[in-house]
Amino acid sequence: MNRRLSILLLLLMALNVSAQHKVGDLFREMPDSLLPLLTRNNRLDLIDFCEAQMKSEVQNHLEGTSVMIQLNNDSLHLRLNDALSIKLYLEEALETYDSCQQVICMVQTYRLASSDEEESVIDYYTVRWNRLAAPKLAATRRLPHSSILRQDDKLLRDN
């Protein structure tokens, strides 16, 4: 009886691990509307190059170069051009969204050409790329905050 219970627990754990998504697979399925600078083929090429440990870059729609800087099971870092980079994080949620307890956190960071100032926009999505307003996460990752918005707020308060 004890042996059967152990085998059953191992099978359940294996099913749970296989149900976990990988950020690369989700990036493959990302709608073009969320990342119009790259085609689906561009995204597939970036992943293939990165997995083959080759230089992972493609030409984007603006005739510039987009580079995948980092890819692992739960995060991805992509520099689309000199002014925009995107990071995707796969986060555990406390609630179920689209039949899954994982959500995608997308951090878009815009850099001003004339300075080192950056602006980050954070959005959350289900694993089927449906937007979420404020998911309940199991743990909170330390995400960037915008210094530009803080300066704008200060200017508005001072006037």
Side-chain angles (χ1 to χ4, degrees), residues 21-35 40 43 47 76 78 86-90 97-98 100 102-108 123-132:
H21 292 87
K22 294 182 180 178
V23 78
D25 296 334
L26 297 170
F27 182 63
R28 280 183 179 94
E29 301 304 320
M30 179 185 245
D32 291 341
S33 61
L34 293 178
L35 199 59
R40 175 173 165 74
R43 292 193 309 271
I47 292 169
L76 174 151
L78 178 67
I86 290 184
K87 292 182 181 179
L88 297 179
Y89 300 105
L90 201 51
Y97 301 98
D98 283 346
C100 182
Q102 290 179 302
V103 296
I104 303 163
C105 173
M106 182 164 77
V107 180
Q108 300 176 64
D123 291 303
Y124 291 93
Y125 298 90
T126 68
V127 294
R128 293 187 184 138
W129 290 103
N130 296 314
R131 186 176 290 239
L132 292 169

Side-chain angles (χ1 to χ4, degrees), residues 1 3 6 15 33 38-39 48-49 56 61 64 66 109 119 121 124 136-138 140 145 157:
M1 178 70 173
R3 186 176 204 182
S6 297
L15 287 174
S33 61
L38 298 176
T39 65
D48 290 343
F49 295 152
S56 185
H61 280 305
S66 295
T109 303
E119 171 80 23
V121 177
Y124 291 93
K136 295 181 180 173
L137 303 177
T140 55
H145 54 278
R157 278 193 312 262

Side-chain angles (χ1 to χ4, degrees), residues 79-94:
R79 191 184 75 230
L80 290 167
N81 57 32
D82 291 338
L84 174 62
S85 68
I86 290 184
K87 292 182 181 179
L88 297 179
Y89 300 105
L90 201 51
E91 302 285 352
E92 294 297 321
L94 294 175

Side-chain angles (χ1 to χ4, degrees), residues 10-26:
L10 285 173
L11 286 173
L12 287 174
M13 287 173 37
L15 287 174
N16 188 34
V17 168
S18 66
Q20 299 295 312
H21 292 87
K22 294 182 180 178
V23 78
D25 296 334
L26 297 170

